[in-house]
């Protein structure tokens, strides 16, 4: 048992309990989402006491040095005094510079951060609207190739953020941006490794970033991208991706449609099934999987059983809880992301 | 002073080399895979590493009581000697696949075997 003080109120953290769980139990106001150390939304600052190393693993060294840690990864061994994270350290401003409604349901949005963001294609950022709502979006842009950040937004029936992007945001609008986060990105150094990328919906965004990054880095191994959707209308940007495949012999693109009758240029069936049928042996491969959580989990396992090692399987880390715990009970059919 | 078994096996690098091979074997063995099937593969992988580190005689925080507690829910679900033997068999096969010398494998299996009563909560 450890005593924790957060925003001047004392709470008890039971043995084995995380600081986040203890604070949520006490109804304290603390943002969170993934509860497993990936989204960084529960970052807080320790002002007195000691935090275990695990709680600082995914945090930039400069922030770790100032005592920042992840409440969801911290099981304290002694008393702790914690302050709310200094907002300016975590969030910066960004301006929307363009919106392209590619289909009735998917748009891409370009953003320019007020201070340069050092990121890798495929990582994700947290975007916060002025009323406090936060969502995570993966980056399709490549720092070397694109001046602006690019995210893909899928309109969700009751998605607060996605409908806002579709119906209200215009170029010049501002928002808060945190990131980059996550380790779903291309790692240079093994140019002849084969890459398998499987994505559904706007899970295409990070994968496209990874593909363009790899091609630009001179990757020589085969790169296979499978993009899946239930309906043909969900396959967006196909012409651009095909153009990329036409100009690079080692890049192969397979758009897959799983619902109704697959038409014309699309493969019938699910993207993950097509990918694993084409590539049953993934020993030595690097695999990237992004999209619907159920697909991601199943595909991770299939890729692993097909011989890819877990460190070589990069999956989108999102869990889709609302980032503000006050809003937890709000009904939203599906997360904004997909 | 002679090196510990853990050092002779190659320490953390050996655990890292073994863990995916071992985990894959366990998941593809229908007699035990249900115990290990989870959506959180990263966490499960860390537990497999804890298991291997321990079996390799490496630094670990586990004592018999912890092993009892960790496996008690599994014993309730029917964990028994045959499952234990299956896991030991996959450990053996993993080390052979990695080309580990016979006498080192013998030492690893002896450590693992020594935990049988704790793991099975007897
Ligand atoms: C051969 C001797 C064994 C040793 C030394 C051993 C050791 C361990 C260790 C150190 C952990 C991690 C505990 C934790 O961090 O929570 C663990 C967890 C686990 N073990 Fe074993 N184990 C053995 C045999 C087995 C067998 C025979 C099975 C089932 C067929 C099994 C199934 C599991 C499972 C499913 C977990 C994860 C439990 C959880 O998710 O909390 N183990 N084991
Ligand atoms: S990192 Fe703590 S909730 Fe996501």
């Amino acid at each position: 048992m450890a005593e924790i003080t957060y925003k001047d109120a004392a709470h008890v953290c039971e043995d084995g309990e995380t600081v986040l769980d203890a604070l949520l139990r006490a109804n304290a106001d603390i943002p969170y989402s993934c509860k497993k150390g990936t989204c960084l939304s529960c970052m807080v600052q320790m002002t007195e006491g000691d935090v275990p190393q695990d709680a600082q693993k995914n945090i930039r060294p400069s922030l770790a040095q100032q005592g920042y840690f992840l409440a969801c990864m911290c099981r304290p061994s002694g008393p702790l005094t914690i302050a709310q994270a200094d907002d300016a350290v975590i969030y910066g401003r960004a301006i929307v510079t363009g919106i392209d409604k590619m289909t009735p349901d998917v748009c891409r949005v370009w953003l320019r951060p007020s201070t340069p963001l050092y990121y890798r294609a495929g990582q994700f950022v947290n975007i916060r609207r002025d009323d406090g709502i936060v969502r995570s979006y993966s980056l399709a842009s490549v720092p070397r190739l694109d001046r602006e950040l690019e995210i893909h937004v899928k309109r969700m029936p009751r998605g607060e953020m996605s409908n806002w992007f579709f119906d209200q945001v215009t170029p010049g609008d501002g928002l808060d941006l945190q990131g980059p986060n996550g380790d779903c990105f291309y790692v240079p150094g093994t140019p002849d490794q084969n890459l398998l990328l499987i994505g559904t919906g706007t899970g295409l965004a990070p994968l496209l970033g990874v593909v363009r990054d790899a091609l630009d880095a001179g990757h020589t191994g085969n790169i296979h991208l499978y993009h899946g959707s239930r309906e043909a209308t969900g396959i967006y940007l196909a012409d651009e991706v095909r153009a990329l495949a036409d100009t690079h012999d080692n890049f192969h693109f397979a758009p897959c449609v799983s619902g109704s009758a697959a038409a014309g240029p699309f493969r019938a069936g699910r993207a993950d099934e097509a990918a694993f049928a084409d590539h049953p042996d993934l020993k030595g491969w690097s695999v990237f999987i992004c999209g619907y959580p159920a697909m991601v989990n199943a595909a991770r396992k299939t890729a692993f059983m097909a011989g890819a090692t877990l460190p070589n399987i990069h999956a989108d880390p999102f869990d889709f809880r609302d980032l503000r715990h006050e809003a937890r009970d709000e009904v939203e059919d599906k997360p904004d992301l997909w | 002073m002679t090196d510990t078994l853990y050092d002779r096996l190659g320490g953390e690098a050996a655990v890292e080399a073994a863990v995916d091979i071992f985990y894959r074997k366990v998941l593809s063995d229908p007699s035990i895979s249900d115990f290990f099937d989870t959506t959180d593969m990263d966490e499960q992988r860390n537990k497999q590493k804890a298991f291997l580190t321990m079996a390799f005689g490496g630094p670990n925080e586990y004592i018999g009581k912890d092993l009892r507690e960790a496996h008690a829910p599994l014993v309730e679900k029917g964990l028994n000697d045959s499952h234990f033997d299956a896991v030991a068999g996959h450990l053996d096969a993993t080390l052979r696949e990695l080309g580990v010398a016979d006498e080192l494998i013998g030492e690893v299996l002896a450590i693992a075997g020594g935990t049988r009563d704790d793991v099975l909560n007897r």
Side-chain angles (χ1 to χ4, degrees):
Chain A
M1 204 188 81
E3 180 157 314
I4 49 182
T5 311
Y6 178 61
K7 295 206 277 194
D8 299 325
H11 306 282
V12 167
C13 191
E14 302 291 347
D15 284 339
E17 192 178 35
T18 65
V19 167
L20 178 64
D21 283 336
L23 292 177
L24 290 178
R25 196 162 42 75
N27 277 319
D29 178 24
I30 178 167
Y32 73 97
S33 175
C34 70
K35 281 195 163 187
K36 56 184 201 185
T38 41
C39 75
L40 309 195
S41 54
C42 67
M43 193 167 11
V44 286
Q45 190 178 23
M46 176 260 304
T47 53
E48 257 173 73
D50 263 318
V51 295
Q53 259 182 353
D54 267 2
Q56 296 190 309
K57 225 167 36 191
N58 290 341
I59 291 187
R60 253 185 292 149
S62 59
L63 289 182
Q65 253 167 26
Q66 298 169 51
Y68 283 95
F69 68 96
L70 300 179
C72 72
M73 298 305 283
C74 181
R75 293 183 172 79
S77 50
L80 264 188
T81 305
I82 304 164
Q84 214 171 6
D86 179 359
D87 202 60
V89 170
I90 296 183
Y91 278 93
R93 280 305 271 182
I95 288 180
V96 174
T97 57
I99 299 179
D100 169 20
K101 293 176 188 163
M102 297 181 283
T103 76
D105 285 332
V106 183
C107 67
R108 49 178 165 173
V109 178
W110 288 277
L111 305 166
R112 188 189 307 137
S114 56
T115 50
L117 192 72
Y118 296 97
Y119 69 98
R120 288 165 184 267
Q123 286 191 292
F124 70 93
V125 293
N126 290 319
I127 287 180
R128 186 173 64 186
R129 214 163 63 174
D130 289 349
D131 65 358
I133 289 188
V134 181
R135 292 289 184 278
S136 302
Y137 292 97
S138 293
L139 295 167
S141 46
V142 180
R144 277 191 314 280
L145 304 175
D146 305 305
R147 267 191 330 156
E148 263 131 31
L149 307 179
E150 177 184 329
I151 60 171
H152 297 176
V153 180
K154 166 116 201 255
R155 190 204 277 272
M156 288 300 173
R158 266 171 289 172
E160 288 260 15
M161 189 78 99
S162 61
N163 282 297
W164 178 66
F165 271 120
F166 263 90
D167 302 332
Q168 292 178 39
V169 174
T170 53
D173 287 354
L175 41 75
D176 293 329
L177 188 82
Q178 179 276 327
N181 315 308
D183 50 15
C184 185
F185 53 75
Y186 175 68
V187 184
T190 46
D192 51 2
Q193 190 176 36
N194 291 326
L195 312 183
L196 179 62
L197 305 98
I198 305 168
T200 50
T202 48
L204 177 67
L207 300 185
L208 207 48
V210 168
V211 167
R212 292 173 61 232
D213 196 9
L215 290 175
D216 185 66
H219 197 83
T220 54
N222 280 311
I223 304 175
H224 296 271
L225 171 63
Y226 292 78
H227 183 210
S229 175
R230 190 195 293 264
E231 306 297 337
T233 49
I235 304 290
Y236 64 93
L237 281 180
D239 291 343
E240 282 86 340
V241 183
R242 250 191 227 106
L244 213 51
D246 287 342
T247 49
H248 296 85
D249 285 346
N250 61 332
F251 174 48
H252 314 276
F253 174 50
C256 308
V257 171
S258 62
S260 50
F266 303 129
R267 244 182 61 208
R270 291 173 36 169
D272 52 337
E273 284 167 4
F276 294 125
D278 291 353
H279 310 286
D281 181 3
L282 297 176
K283 206 166 175 195
W285 287 55
S286 209
V287 183
F288 296 80
I289 311 165
C290 301
Y292 299 106
M295 184 284 288
V296 171
N297 281 329
R300 280 194 84 181
K301 184 170 167 194
T302 309
F304 179 68
M305 299 311 281
T309 63
L310 276 185
N312 271 307
I313 303 175
H314 311 271
D316 219 277
F318 302 124
D319 279 298
F320 313 98
R321 261 157 291 199
D322 196 300
L323 285 159
R324 296 179 315 164
H325 89 270
E326 310 98 86
R328 240 182 322 170
D329 299 330
E330 238 170 59
V331 191
E332 248 181 60
D333 306 24
K334 272 182 198 149
D336 263 7
L337 202 67
W338 317 117
Chain B
M1 220 190 115
T2 53
D3 282 345
T4 64
L5 171 63
Y6 184 67
D7 291 332
R8 280 179 286 143
L9 281 163
E12 209 183 319
V15 173
E16 196 58 47
V19 64
D20 281 328
I21 300 176
F22 175 72
Y23 188 14
R24 206 173 280 125
K25 287 187 190 303
V26 163
L27 279 181
S28 40
D29 178 346
S31 76
I32 52 172
S33 61
D34 281 353
F35 289 113
F36 296 92
D37 220 343
T38 157
T39 50
D40 196 340
M41 292 182 75
D42 290 320
E43 183 170 338
Q44 188 55 240
R45 184 174 193 268
N46 286 336
K47 293 196 167 156
Q48 311 273 344
K49 281 174 76 169
F51 161 76
L52 290 169
T53 304
M54 191 170 181
F56 289 5
N60 74 80
E61 308 123 44
Y62 298 98
I63 51 172
K65 178 172 155 286
D66 300 328
L67 281 187
R68 285 179 176 270
E69 268 172 27
H71 298 93
L74 308 176
V75 172
E76 249 162 58
K77 284 192 230 154
L79 185 70
N80 62 33
D81 280 300
S82 76
H83 302 125
F84 189 95
D85 293 338
V87 165
H90 293 306
L91 181 59
D92 185 10
T94 300
L95 296 173
R96 286 189 195 288
E97 207 170 307
L98 288 169
V100 174
D102 282 352
E103 58 276 17
L104 291 183
I105 295 182
E107 287 184 56
V108 171
L109 292 179
I111 293 179
T115 65
R116 184 184 292 259
D117 285 350
D118 284 326
V119 167
L120 297 179
N121 279 254
R122 288 196 291 232

